[in-house]
Amino acid sequence: MNNSLLPVLLVAGLIGCAASPDLPSTYTLDTNRPEGLAIVSLTLSGKSLDKVTDYEYRIREVLPRGEAYAVVSQHYASARQHARSVQDEGKERPFTHSVVVKGPNNIDALDIQDAGKTTGRLAALRLSPGDYEFHSWHVREPSPYGETEYKPAREFVYRFSIKPGEATYIGRLNLHLGSGNTERITANDRQAEDMSLLGQKYPAIRAAKIVAALGILQP
């Protein structure tokens, strides 16, 4: 694991927790802080967000070239081993967290609209300097049989970089769920609209220099 990410693990709890906002409303950029901001808008089309109960993305740090994430699972021989595993949870684990667009405990406002309908929200995420990627998502909605969950058939990659003391606008990711259970991720530059929302949500950041560096979407 990249040691430079270790100091931000406590901070990451703020953005990994569905009940916590991305940032305090009074947050200001500080060049002396070992962190930067990723500003991204996340929207949904093809399905009404009003009828969705849960919409979430996953982010992780980018691995060195030639490396990939292995699927790891634990098999316990005793209750004591299981207890020790729970106690040590998180050690030697790559930095990863979720970005909740909509969820039962999420208090961040759904503030993006299209033709009078709410379609998503603007997120501002504190991250240590480095390279990251969105790689998965899920959507859940009620069904006659309980709940239906949608996930990508295979992971996608939307890669971006963060610099210390700098706010970086990385674009708008839209997930389209079509008829026949098709899905498509697109990335667009909606900086003018998104910066207006950012100024409303975080007035202290309004005067800060925002660098536009859209992520790279890989199929």
Side-chain angles (χ1 to χ4, degrees):
M1 181 177 179
N2 187 341
N3 289 334
S4 67
L5 290 171
L6 292 176
V8 84
L9 289 177
L10 292 178
V11 173
L14 291 174
I15 46 182
C17 177
S20 299
D22 297 328
L23 298 175
S25 60
T26 56
Y27 180 89
T28 58
L29 279 169
D30 185 345
T31 55
N32 295 318
R33 278 201 197 108
E35 66 182 24
L37 285 183
I39 301 167
V40 59
S41 53
L42 303 164
T43 57
L44 178 70
S45 60
K47 286 187 177 293
S48 172
L49 189 58
D50 290 339
K51 297 180 181 179
V52 166
T53 57
D54 197 357
Y55 178 21
E56 181 177 317
Y57 281 89
R58 299 291 296 177
I59 293 178
R60 65 190 176 194
E61 60 178 307
V62 175
L63 294 176
R65 183 180 296 274
E67 294 186 9
Y69 286 90
V71 177
V72 180
S73 59
Q74 296 292 337
H75 300 274
Y76 308 108
S78 67
R80 178 176 295 179
Q81 288 182 355
H82 180 257
R84 287 177 58 191
S85 174
V86 172
Q87 184 178 4
D88 293 340
E89 186 175 2
K91 294 181 179 179
E92 302 299 328
R93 186 172 298 179
F95 175 76
T96 180
H97 70 266
S98 62
V99 182
V100 179
V101 182
K102 182 180 181 181
N105 299 314
N106 187 39
I107 62 174
D108 285 300
L110 295 170
D111 46 16
I112 299 177
Q113 294 194 343
D114 183 23
K117 295 183 178 180
T118 301
T119 58
R121 77 175 182 91
L122 181 74
L125 314 174
R126 284 181 287 182
L127 296 169
S128 284
D131 298 323
Y132 299 88
E133 60 190 19
F134 285 81
H135 66 96
S136 189
W137 54 266
H138 74 249
V139 170
R140 298 189 184 113
E141 65 177 359
S143 76
Y145 315 105
E147 189 175 61
T148 299
E149 180 177 76
Y150 304 89
K151 291 183 177 182
R154 60 186 178 88
E155 291 188 338
F156 71 100
V157 170
Y158 188 65
R159 191 162 292 176
F160 62 96
S161 298
I162 294 299
K163 295 180 180 179
E166 189 170 281
T168 304
Y169 174 70
I170 63 172
R172 176 172 295 186
L173 281 181
N174 181 71
L175 168 63
H176 182 80
L177 294 176
S179 58
N181 294 328
T182 60
E183 56 93 0
R184 182 176 72 255
I185 291 281
T186 56
N188 299 285
D189 185 351
R190 302 294 291 273
Q191 187 177 3
E193 178 183 349
D194 290 342
M195 290 306 97
S196 176
L197 287 174
L198 183 73
Q200 295 172 32
K201 293 179 73 168
Y202 307 110
I205 302 178
R206 183 163 25 200
K209 180 182 179 181
I210 309 296
V211 177
L214 269 64
I216 300 173
L217 184 61
Q218 302 175 9

